[in-house]
Amino acid sequence: MTLINGLPAHVLLVHLVVVLVPLTAVALVAAAISRRAARRMGVALPLLALVSLVSVPLTTSAGEWLERHVTDNALVERHAELGDGLLPWAAGLFLLASLVWWGSRATGPRADAAGAAIRSAVPIRVAAVVLSVAVAAGAVVDVYRIGDSGAKAAWHGGFSQTASHARDED
């Protein structure tokens, strides 16, 4: 993917990643903590995670095209390096979202009625919550770091902190 309506595709696709990855992270943590939330989200949780996962390599590929079409500088290279690290986090979100969704389906009223089933599920639920929080936090922090480096690369030297001309205040 190169251009969309005359703009580099990366500039547009990056918005998918910036919105979907953190949204997926929050939804995953909510679903891991609350069975009720997991059941309410249903299949939407792993589908959201799948769309997030697919958006990462699309955006990265478009970014690699853009990188070849801008002036070389260390800020762009740093942004590209960081961007390459998001795919494992997105894959982790998808894997955990799928497991949490599947787990919410596997534990219904029958399992809740049997105390032994609930007690044996507690360590698995705790592990799911801990892993979900860790992967969600890692993904969100990575998105932030990538976005920050991209903004620095795009805007470095491209603006002045003082206005170049006064606005008319009529």
Side-chain angles (χ1 to χ4, degrees):
M1 204 170 278
T2 57
L3 298 173
I4 297 174
N5 201 26
L7 292 173
H10 181 73
V11 175
L12 300 172
L13 292 173
V14 73
H15 292 88
L16 284 174
V17 172
V18 168
V19 171
L20 292 179
V21 170
L23 182 63
T24 301
V26 169
L28 171 61
V29 170
I33 291 171
S34 167
R35 284 187 189 157
R36 186 175 182 202
R39 283 190 214 113
R40 281 189 165 188
M41 284 185 240
V43 74
L45 177 63
L47 289 177
L48 175 63
L50 179 62
V51 173
S52 296
L53 176 60
V54 169
S55 71
V56 171
L58 286 176
T59 304
T60 304
S61 176
E64 289 169 356
W65 178 88
L66 180 58
E67 183 182 17
R68 291 188 301 271
H69 290 84
V70 297
T71 307
D72 282 340
N73 73 51
L75 294 174
V76 171
E77 289 176 24
R78 175 73 178 145
H79 176 63
E81 260 178 42
L82 289 171
D84 289 338
L86 185 57
L87 189 57
W89 291 113
L93 288 174
F94 174 69
L95 176 65
L96 285 166
S98 298
L99 291 173
V100 166
W101 168 73
W102 181 78
S104 73
R105 292 178 37 134
T107 58
R110 290 175 301 199
D112 291 343
I118 291 172
R119 282 190 295 282
S120 67
V122 170
I124 294 170
R125 293 218 41 227
V126 169
V129 170
V130 170
L131 284 171
S132 295
V133 169
V135 171
V140 170
V141 167
D142 210 31
V143 166
Y144 171 81
R145 292 177 64 221
I146 296 163
D148 181 61
S149 70
K152 287 176 180 173
W155 290 98
H156 179 73
F159 74 98
S160 172
Q161 292 187 6
T162 58
S164 60
H165 55 77
R167 289 188 189 182
D168 292 335
E169 306 226 4
D170 297 320

